[in-house]
Amino acid sequence: MRVTIEVNGRTVSEEVEDRMLLVHFLREQAGMTATNIGCDTTSCGACTVLLDGESVKSCTVLAAQADGHAVTTLEGLTGPDGDLHPVQRAFREQHGLQCGFCTPGMIMASVSLLAHNPKPTREEVRTGLEGNLCRCTGYHNIVNAVVDASGQEVAQ
Amino acid sequence: MIPAQFRYQRANTVEEALAALAEHGDEAKPLAGGHSLLPLMKLRLAAPEVLVDLAPLDELRFVRLDGDTVRIGALTRHHDLHGDGVLREHAPLLAHVAGEVGDQQVRHRGTIGGSLVHADPAADLAAALLACDGTLVARGPRGEREIPATEFFLGPFTTPLEPDELLTEVRLPRQTGRGWAFEKFTRRAIDWAIVGVAVCGQSVGLVNMAGTPLRASATERALASGAPIAEAAELAAEGTSPVDEPHATAEYRRHLARVLTARALEAAAA
Amino acid sequence: MSIVGTRVVRVEDGTLITKGGTYVEDLRHEALTGAVHATFVRSPVAHARITSIDTSEALQAPGVVAVYTAADIDLAPGQAGPVAQPWLADGVVRYVGEPVALVLTEQRYQLADAAELVDVDYDPLEAVASIDAALADETLLFPDLGSNVAQVTGGEFDEHAFDDCEVVVTETIVNQRVAPAPLEVRGAALAWGEDDRLTVWLSTQNPQLARTIIALGLGVGEERIRIVTPDVGGGFGAKIGSDPEPVVLGWAARRAGRPVRWTETRSENLTAMTHGRAQQNTVTIGGRRDGTVLAFRLEVVQDAGAYPRTLFLPTLTELMASGVYHFPRVETSSKGVVTNTTPISAYRGAGRPEATAAIERAMDLFAAEIGRDPAEVRRTNFIRPEEFPYQTPTGASYDTGEYAAALDRVLEAGGYHQLRAEQARRREAGEPVALGLGLAAYVEITGGDGGGESGRVDVNPDGSLTAYTGASPHGQGLGTSLMMLLSDQFGIPLERITVRHGDTDEVPTGVGTFGSRSLQLGGSAVRRAAETVIERARALAAEMLEASPDDVVLDTDRGAWHVRGAPSSATVGWADVAARAGDGELSEDVWYDEGTPTFPFGAHLAVVEVDTLTGKVVLRRIVALDDAGPVVNPLAFEGQRHGGLGQGAAQALLEVMSYDSDGNPTTATLADYSFISATELPDFELLHMATPTTRNALGVKGIGEAATIGSTPAVHNAVVDALAHLGVRHLDMPATPLRVWQAINDARKAD
């Protein structure tokens, strides 16, 4: 079937198998490889992207379901002049990433979290990111990053 | 992992959806948010030949108060339920429980209808609806029928819906003024409940204490006859048949049901 | 001013936060054009004879290029310890997840469809699914071996070892099997070139070691293999070198005449990537009622899984058996047994966490038995600062340590005495939520493999710097740390320094990253190379400044040479020196093998709350001091500790790879395996102390694994401590709600 998705502001229209998952459409058809796959069971959140502005796990959405909709991936977060999004900046500044594999999903989930809760407490950040797994950081600096991105002071 | 091949079909009206389901019989599955169905298909535990996507059916996305009845469109997402003002005021237990399902991303896609028809005994919303005396409305070629929640969950992943029927709406009496609480016991926040207890007034719904969600009837009867909470909660596991698993034995689940029921009843009464 | 020791944001992050890393799966390399996709058909049974494999239906499936089985493979089998390990199962399968066949298809989406059609008939054999079943030796995995015990060490115990002890306590402690579970699963892309060389893009921690393994497996010279390491999404020990799969894939790429791409699924990863830990340790500890320990015995049984390729684990546990304590008598033994389960290999700490868990549980058991505070008993037995270097009875030579100081700092920062008072208050009041305090004092060994590391430094014609390291960082931020060290030495800013690693054509020699070795050995190698380059540059600068080499100095604030005492007179910069230098004169490639193992140490305090009615444990605090000597980049250093704390707590509370009695894994997806998330962890409280070592050029110790080693027993001890007043003396990890509830019930019944 033909699927047309606006990916990071660019219209991508491709003939794909009905069963194609959104994550593969983004990686293969749209060439946006930042979004990663970390599991088979909607558990890890590495594939999180924004679908019409809301975070979703793109391994559990069919490309067909996103047909006619807009998707933002990590690549689409950076401004036209390379300006970092506040969440990107904060992840770097707070050392919220190590190997980087969970990072695209973690950043997109954080963007969504802050859209709904602009000044979260540390506990709210932890709960809000319950669907995103990271093996490297112990999450401490990820929490710092989200708190920082929200414009709140990071307790040292 | 990717699903086995299927044909994707989009329904633009309820009638179109029903026609598609009628045409393909049990080879077809309606697709709502897909957060119960697609994971099974990826693991190849389910392999429908046709998926009928209900996404365009905006008429099944609503929450409204109709007299003393709260009516919820089957395609309303968990995220929207959780934040809905009408639901928070008139069925706060359901609004709260919708916020406990899965994680942020899952709640952005998953729908109340999808969750209920999946009939997972570990699902939070089913037990909550049961505690709220909810009913489910299905539409099919033979018309519309309303099924009480008490008759909807027949067994694990089994409901009375025919392959050509579609769940369109969920109804429950407004709960204004009734105390409520939800106790969900998990290892990790993201896990399915080992046991959950939903309390609405003096109704108690149990998560994962049998092959279906069920009411703690003995507890409810004891409360009705004036027993104190501690005493009534001791009866919470009566009539249950929880599954015995290495990480949660049946005996442990029965114990948790009693402890959590006491806590939920205390919280609801507070 | 020196940049070393200051907090520097990582250079690695720029791409990772904007475009994402380039992991194997992301490669769009020209050489991979037309690649076929590969997947392994894996055994669904733990132990069986393969009676037939029918590939005919799979071969008819859309897009199938080839289906290979053991019968096709014309390579000598690999070796796992004392036994042969076939590349694809040959007649017998020995664990769920063992590769049985390889399927190649044109498109990725065709893989699973075709793999389902490979028809394998299994004739089940009795499964050996536990250590006890292995030791019974009733069913043998390898009949030729004559036993399931693949390795035995030590065990000549003195029967009078505990004779003079007033108190002797013994306990068998399970250090459960866990899944390393890096977020990026295993993957590889392989292409034979026209020059008959195989290039393997591999998610590995050690490209040079992987080259050796793959060359050996394919029976070709190492010069015909090139490993390129793209970004690697975590390894934690389970990506050391190469697993057998890439050898099969390299063979298949040749046979099929096509490049091959392979990425496993997470469910495959959880059963077919090696697991870690999996020891059963019996401790016996004896001493006086005043808290002095006189004798300690550790008997290790290592479950090696189906193919015992990593039998160094139990001996490393023996080496570190006595931990931070000066015990007069220490005895150890180990057995490595094979079982019908996924093979065991390194996982963050690899042998040392098991040692620390055993001794730190033993110390608490001993303290509880004599009714003394566990902090006090530890202090009584610590090796004192003046005893270093300290030779342990098990053969380790500890370099430096301040064990008591570390513990005291943690107790003070954590408010240990106030916490004990609060614990007593709750117990007194009979509150259902109990407070538990857990301590661990630890020492571990880093760079313990005894190998060296390569380092090369080039001053480029434009005065910029390129360094090459045999280390292979994959998230640790070593690149930034090496740049900081070089910037400090050369006076060249970070943005003009490049660190390269991971391509064996570019860095032909190297050992790679494991065992927390990379800074102390890789960093020292780069340091030595830099020193040589700077001395050569000094001679050149002296000529240009018309001074004696002894009279010119490098101003590392400006990155310029000048005559001593005349900083404002003529200077020459790095580009000037480079212009004067002959070809290769300002390049030095060293093999640093002067480093010997170092011994980081620390103390952790964990605070838990346990709901005694449900058994649920909530980890409230971890106060950690991890001393690994001087710190190059505090940002990366703290990040390593955070990650270690998270994984350590995960093992104590949540994670276990479980099998049923038939050897079927029951935690084979991330929905079933309790991978720790942000909601189960507290904010971490870190304390700092830096005790240098003299055992390498930088005076540093490794930090990659230390915090995992300390936090696991600290959290574990906290759970047991919370339940002590209920009569619980010990329970095994992970302290799941069910297990805690059962422990409380058992103690009640016993009472």
Side-chain angles (χ1 to χ4, degrees), chain C residues 433-459:
Chain C
V433 178
L435 194 68
L437 312 184
L439 293 175
Y442 73 90
V443 57
E444 70 124 337
I445 176 170
T446 63
D449 57 288
E453 193 52 279
S454 69
R456 174 178 149 193
V457 175
D458 293 359
V459 178

Side-chain angles (χ1 to χ4, degrees), chain A residues 8-106:
Chain A
N8 300 328
R10 185 172 66 92
T11 300
V12 181
S13 187
E14 295 280 341
E15 201 65 37
V16 299
E17 277 191 67
D18 289 16
R19 61 174 165 168
M20 177 170 268
L21 302 172
L22 176 58
V23 65
H24 287 127
F25 186 93
L26 296 172
R27 291 177 50 84
E28 308 298 331
Q29 269 63 38
M32 297 290 161
T33 55
T35 307
N36 292 318
I37 300 171
C39 73
D40 325 313
T41 48
T42 330
S43 306
C44 79
C47 65
T48 300
V49 300
L50 304 184
L51 176 57
D52 295 336
E54 300 275 28
S55 59
V56 302
K57 293 181 174 177
S58 61
C59 73
T60 311
V61 177
L62 299 172
Q65 290 177 287
D67 182 33
H69 295 268
V71 170
T72 309
T73 68
L74 179 75
E75 292 99 325
L77 220 49
T78 316
D81 305 324
D83 304 338
L84 295 182
H85 185 281
V87 175
Q88 289 172 310
R89 181 199 57 72
F91 266 72
R92 184 173 66 181
E93 191 54 47
Q94 297 293 336
H95 191 31
L97 65 152
Q98 290 184 28
C99 82
F101 197 83
C102 77
T103 308
M106 196 66 84

Side-chain angles (χ1 to χ4, degrees), chain C residues 13 56 81 148 220 226 285 307 335 355 378 384 636 668:
Chain C
D13 293 350
S56 55
N148 290 322
V220 303
R226 175 187 181 192
I285 187 166
Y307 295 96
K335 285 180 183 163
R378 282 176 172 79
R384 296 184 309 277

Side-chain angles (χ1 to χ4, degrees), chain A residues 17 19-25 27-28 31-41 43-46 73-78 82 84 87-104 107 122-123 125-144 156, chain C residues 7 9-10 12-21 23 25-26 28 107-110 113 178-185 231-234 236 265-268 347-348 474-476 635-640 642-647 650 655 668-673 675-685:
Chain A
E17 277 191 67
R19 61 174 165 168
M20 177 170 268
L21 302 172
L22 176 58
V23 65
H24 287 127
F25 186 93
R27 291 177 50 84
E28 308 298 331
M32 297 290 161
T33 55
T35 307
N36 292 318
I37 300 171
C39 73
D40 325 313
T41 48
S43 306
C44 79
T73 68
L74 179 75
E75 292 99 325
L77 220 49
T78 316
L84 295 182
V87 175
Q88 289 172 310
R89 181 199 57 72
F91 266 72
R92 184 173 66 181
E93 191 54 47
Q94 297 293 336
H95 191 31
L97 65 152
Q98 290 184 28
C99 82
F101 197 83
C102 77
T103 308
I107 287 180
R122 295 184 73 85
E123 275 316 300
V125 173
R126 288 183 183 276
T127 305
L129 295 177
E130 67 189 331
N132 289 76
L133 300 178
C134 169
R135 203 57 163 169
C136 295
T137 64
Y139 304 98
H140 182 103
N141 284 347
I142 290 175
V143 178
N144 280 357
Q156 288 304 326
Chain C
R7 185 182 188 278
V9 166
R10 299 196 315 173
E12 291 88 339
D13 293 350
T15 306
L16 295 176
I17 58 168
T18 53
K19 299 183 182 70
Y23 306 95
E25 184 74 353
D26 300 330
R28 298 293 180 266
Q107 293 167 28
R108 175 205 316 273
Y109 270 38
Q110 295 163 338
D113 300 343
V178 290
L183 248 285
E184 184 207 20
V185 297
D231 286 327
V232 173
F236 310 109
T265 66
R266 175 59 67 185
S267 307
E268 275 183 286
Y347 171 57
R348 203 167 194 164
H474 42 283
Q476 297 86 349
L635 172 130
F637 187 81
E638 289 177 13
Q640 288 299 299
H642 288 160
L645 292 171
Q647 284 181 15
E655 296 187 14
T669 70
L670 280 188
D672 297 313
Y673 185 78
F675 190 123
I676 200 160
S677 82
T679 44
E680 282 69 53
L681 288 167
D683 292 336
F684 302 131
E685 302 167 53

Side-chain angles (χ1 to χ4, degrees), chain B residues 1-5 43-44 185-191 194 245-249 251-252 255-256 259-260 263, chain C residues 109 112-113 116 265 267 611 613-616 654 669-676 679-680 736-738 741-742:
Chain B
M1 280 191 160
I2 43 132
Q5 277 180 337
L43 295 172
R44 304 210 169 190
F185 191 82
T186 60
R187 281 178 296 176
R188 302 173 300 162
I190 196 187
D191 286 327
I194 291 175
E245 293 173 297
H247 74 277
T249 61
E251 183 197 4
Y252 180 52
H255 167 77
L256 286 177
V259 173
L260 300 178
R263 288 180 184 175
Chain C
Y109 270 38
D113 300 343
E116 279 184 341
T265 66
S267 307
D611 182 339
L613 293 181
T614 64
K616 175 122 177 178
L654 289 165
T669 70
L670 280 188
D672 297 313
Y673 185 78
S674 288
F675 190 123
I676 200 160
T679 44
E680 282 69 53
T736 59
L738 172 64
W741 179 72
Q742 283 173 336

Side-chain angles (χ1 to χ4, degrees), chain B residues 93-94 96-102 115-116 120-130 182-186 191-198 205-208 213:
Chain B
L93 170 67
L94 215 58
H96 172 79
V97 171
E100 296 286 299
V101 176
S115 170
L116 293 172
D120 190 325
D124 301 331
L125 278 168
L129 189 69
L130 206 56
F182 185 61
E183 288 281 335
K184 181 176 183 176
F185 191 82
T186 60
D191 286 327
W192 293 81
I194 291 175
V195 174
V197 177
L206 300 176
V207 181
N208 223 0

Side-chain angles (χ1 to χ4, degrees), chain B residues 77-154:
Chain B
R77 305 177 309 161
H78 305 313
H79 173 79
D80 295 330
L81 290 174
H82 182 56
D84 188 89
V86 171
L87 202 65
R88 283 180 167 232
E89 188 179 345
H90 300 291
L93 170 67
L94 215 58
H96 172 79
V97 171
E100 296 286 299
V101 176
D103 54 49
Q104 170 186 246
Q105 295 94 314
V106 168
R107 292 191 292 271
H108 283 150
R109 292 295 296 172
T111 65
I112 185 168
S115 170
L116 293 172
V117 299
H118 186 55
D120 190 325
D124 301 331
L125 278 168
L129 189 69
L130 206 56
C132 294
D133 300 313
T135 59
L136 299 95
V137 180
R139 222 185 290 173
R142 294 162 300 282
E144 190 173 274
R145 60 174 175 145
E146 194 166 340
I147 309 164
T150 46
E151 294 167 22
F152 189 78
F153 303 104
L154 300 179

Side-chain angles (χ1 to χ4, degrees), chain C residues 206-252:
Chain C
N206 319 74
Q208 295 82 8
L209 178 57
R211 180 185 56 194
T212 304
I213 292 168
I214 293 172
L216 204 62
L218 292 173
V220 303
E222 286 200 26
E223 71 287 351
R224 286 177 57 200
I225 307 290
R226 175 187 181 192
I227 308 288
V228 182
T229 312
D231 286 327
V232 173
F236 310 109
K239 288 182 184 167
I240 292 176
S242 172
D243 280 343
E245 280 90 340
V247 174
V248 183
L249 295 165
W251 172 89

